[in-house]
Amino acid sequence: MAELRSMPKWRVTMMLLAVFLSTFACMGDQALTPVVNLLYTGLEGATEATVNYGITGVCIVALPFILLAGWLCDRIDKKIVLVGGFGMYTVGTVLGDLSLDIVYFDVTRTIVMIGWGVQNVSALAILAAVFTEEDEHGKVVGWYNTAMAILGAIIAFVAGQLAGAFPGDEIHGVFRTYLATIPILVLIILFVPSIKPERKKAAEEQKSSQPAAKGNISAWLFVLVPLALQVFLVAVAQNNNYMMLSMYVADAGIGDAAFVGMLSSMGIVLSAVAGLLFGFVFSKLKKWIAFAAIALVGAGFLIMGLLPMLPTSILGCMLIGFGWPMFYSFAYVHAAELVAPEHAGKATGTVNFAYSLACSLSAYTLTFTMGTFGLNAVSTWAALGALVVVVAVVTAIGYAARRNAGTEN
C-alpha cells in the first residue's frame, strides 16, 4: 500500500492530478454529444439499432468488467488495473477516428466503455488505498468528482469547437478531442505509485481493531447491498434529469433547446461546487449526509413535477445538481468503510455497477412509466421525486434504528 507520508508533496500532487485527469474516461462521451444526430447518417452501413448500441448499448457490455475491475483491485497492483483500463480507453478513442464504418465504430466503442468501467473503479480504489483516514478520503473523493465535472464541461466545449472547425467532417473533428488521452495516460504511468493489495499478514493485524462483519464476505454484503440499491434508485431518477431533461422542458412548455443547455450547464457547475464542499460537509454530517443529499434530489424532482414553471425548474435542477454528487461521493467513501481493506476494490465495483446499471436502464424506465401509466414527462418527474423521497425516509429510519441499537453513530 502506498504510504502517503513517505511521498514528497510534489509527487502526491502529480499523483492526484493524474488520477483526477483519468476521469476523462467518465466524461469523454461529452465529445460525441455535438454529432450524435450525424452518426445515424454519417457512419457507413449504420442502422438505428447499430448506432444506438454504439451510443448507449455498450454500457451494458461494460457492467461485468466493472465487477471484474473491483475483484482485480483486491488481488493485483491497482496501478496496473488503472493503466490497463485507461489504456483501453485511449486506444479505443484515438483509433476510433480511423474509420467511419458502423462495425468499426461499435467495436471501438465497446473497447472504450470497458476501459471506462475499469478506470472509474480502479481510480477510486487507489484513492481509498492511499487516503485511509475517513475525512481525508471524503475530501479527495469530492475533488475527484469536481475534476470530473470540470473536465466534462471542457470536453463538451472543445468538442463543439472542433466540430465547427471541420464543416462537413464534424465526426472526425470531435474525435480529435480524444488525443488528450495520450498525455493523460503518460501521467498515470509516470506518477501513480504501485499500490499492491493488502497482504494476509496486514489483514490479520487489523482484525482486532475491526468489527467482525468487515472481514466476512456474507456479512459485509448484507450492509453493502442496501447501499448499492440506494445508489441504483437515486441514479435512475438523476440520470433521467441528466439525459432526458429536454422531454420535461418540452412537456412543461417552459423553454427551448437553449434553455435545456443552460439547465444542464448549471448542473455541471453545481456538481463541481458540491464536490469541493463534500469533504467539509461530510466531516460534519458523516453518514447522515446521505439522507440530506437524497432528500435534496427528491425535493428537486417534486418541485419540478408538481410546479412546472421556469423558476421552479431552475430551482429543482439546482437541488438535484447539488444533492446528487454529494450522495454519489458519499456512496464511494462509505462503501470502502463498510469492508475490510482487502475487499475495498469489490465494494467500489459494486457501487459503480449499481450506478452504471441505473444509467443503462434510466431511459427505459422513463418511457415504460409514461407508456404504462399514461403520464407525460412532468408527471413522471413527480413520480420519480416521490420514489427518491421514499428512499430518503427509509435511509433516515435505517440510520436512526442502527444508532438506537448502538451499532452506528
Side-chain angles (χ1 to χ4, degrees):
M1 182 170 130
E3 285 293 338
L4 187 63
R5 283 172 291 189
S6 67
M7 296 171 62
K9 287 185 178 180
W10 71 269
R11 185 64 185 262
V12 175
T13 300
M14 294 305 296
M15 176 200 71
L16 288 174
L17 177 64
V19 173
F20 292 165
L21 287 177
S22 77
T23 61
F24 190 111
C26 301
M27 303 303 292
D29 278 3
Q30 294 288 326
L32 291 180
T33 301
V35 297
V36 165
N37 61 313
L38 300 178
L39 297 177
Y40 293 90
T41 56
L43 296 176
E44 184 179 349
T47 65
E48 182 176 343
T50 54
V51 174
N52 287 345
Y53 169 81
I55 297 172
T56 59
V58 286
C59 294
I60 298 293
V61 178
L63 292 176
F65 290 93
I66 290 172
L67 295 178
L68 175 62
W71 184 85
L72 287 173
C73 283
D74 292 335
R75 283 164 174 77
I76 66 174
D77 191 335
K78 294 174 178 62
K79 176 179 179 176
I80 293 175
V81 184
L82 177 59
V83 170
F86 197 82
M88 288 182 66
Y89 185 87
T90 300
V91 169
T93 52
V94 172
L95 297 185
D97 192 34
L98 296 181
S99 173
L100 294 183
D101 178 78
I102 184 59
V103 175
Y104 185 83
F105 176 77
D106 283 352
V107 169
T108 54
R109 283 288 294 168
T110 300
I111 296 171
V112 163
M113 295 311 291
I114 292 173
W116 155 74
V118 174
Q119 173 277 326
N120 199 31
V121 172
S122 55
L124 287 162
I126 286 171
L127 295 181
V130 174
F131 298 90
T132 55
E133 198 276 321
E134 188 180 53
D135 287 345
E136 284 296 312
H137 183 205
K139 182 166 63 177
V140 295
V141 169
W143 293 349
Y144 178 89
N145 287 323
T146 294
M148 189 188 307
I150 294 172
L151 262 181
I154 294 173
I155 291 168
F157 175 78
V158 171
Q161 295 301 306
L162 288 173
F166 293 88
D169 194 21
E170 291 87 352
I171 297 176
H172 280 306
V174 297
F175 263 97
R176 285 160 172 76
T177 309
Y178 294 119
L179 293 174
T181 60
I182 297 174
I184 294 174
L185 180 60
V186 172
L187 284 176
I188 293 170
I189 294 171
L190 291 178
F191 294 110
V192 174
S194 174
I195 304 176
K196 296 180 180 179
E198 293 288 326
R199 296 303 179 192
K200 185 175 180 180
K201 181 180 178 181
E204 290 293 330
E205 291 174 351
Q206 295 183 26
K207 277 186 178 179
S208 60
S209 62
Q210 291 178 346
K214 278 196 171 186
N216 184 290
I217 293 179
S218 60
W220 67 254
L221 274 177
F222 181 75
V223 291
L224 188 61
V225 169
L227 175 63
L229 182 59
Q230 278 180 307
V231 171
F232 175 79
L233 292 174
V234 180
V236 165
Q238 180 273 339
N239 204 58
N240 271 302
N241 195 65
Y242 177 67
M243 296 295 295
M244 313 298 284
L245 186 58
S246 59
M247 292 182 64
Y248 168 84
V249 170
D251 280 357
I254 55 176
D256 54 13
F259 182 64
V260 175
M262 184 272 288
L263 289 177
S264 298
S265 298
M266 184 178 62
I268 292 175
V269 171
L270 280 167
S271 293
V273 173
L276 289 174
L277 294 178
F278 174 76
F280 172 77
V281 178
F282 178 67
S283 68
K284 303 299 181 183
L285 298 182
K286 297 300 181 182
K287 296 176 180 64
W288 285 93
I289 193 175
F291 164 72
I294 296 171
L296 285 177
V297 174
F301 273 96
L302 285 177
I303 289 172
M304 295 173 70
L306 299 177
L307 301 169
M309 298 178 290
L310 189 147
T312 52
S313 68
I314 295 174
L315 175 60
C317 283
M318 290 177 67
L319 294 175
I320 296 168
F322 188 80
W324 165 250
M326 283 282 183
F327 172 61
Y328 191 47
S329 297
F330 162 80
Y332 281 115
V333 174
H334 190 45
E337 295 299 320
L338 284 174
V339 303
E342 62 267 26
H343 296 310
K346 290 188 288 291
T348 301
T350 300
V351 171
N352 202 318
F353 179 90
Y355 169 68
S356 302
L357 180 62
C359 292
S360 302
L361 299 179
S362 58
Y364 297 102
T365 61
L366 177 64
T367 54
F368 173 81
T369 302
M370 294 173 65
T372 303
F373 300 103
L375 303 176
N376 63 8
V378 173
S379 299
T380 304
W381 253 242
L384 291 171
L387 170 65
V388 175
V389 167
V390 168
V391 175
V393 172
V394 171
T395 298
I397 293 173
Y399 286 166
R402 287 194 290 272
R403 185 178 62 180
N404 291 337
T407 58
E408 191 162 322
N409 295 327

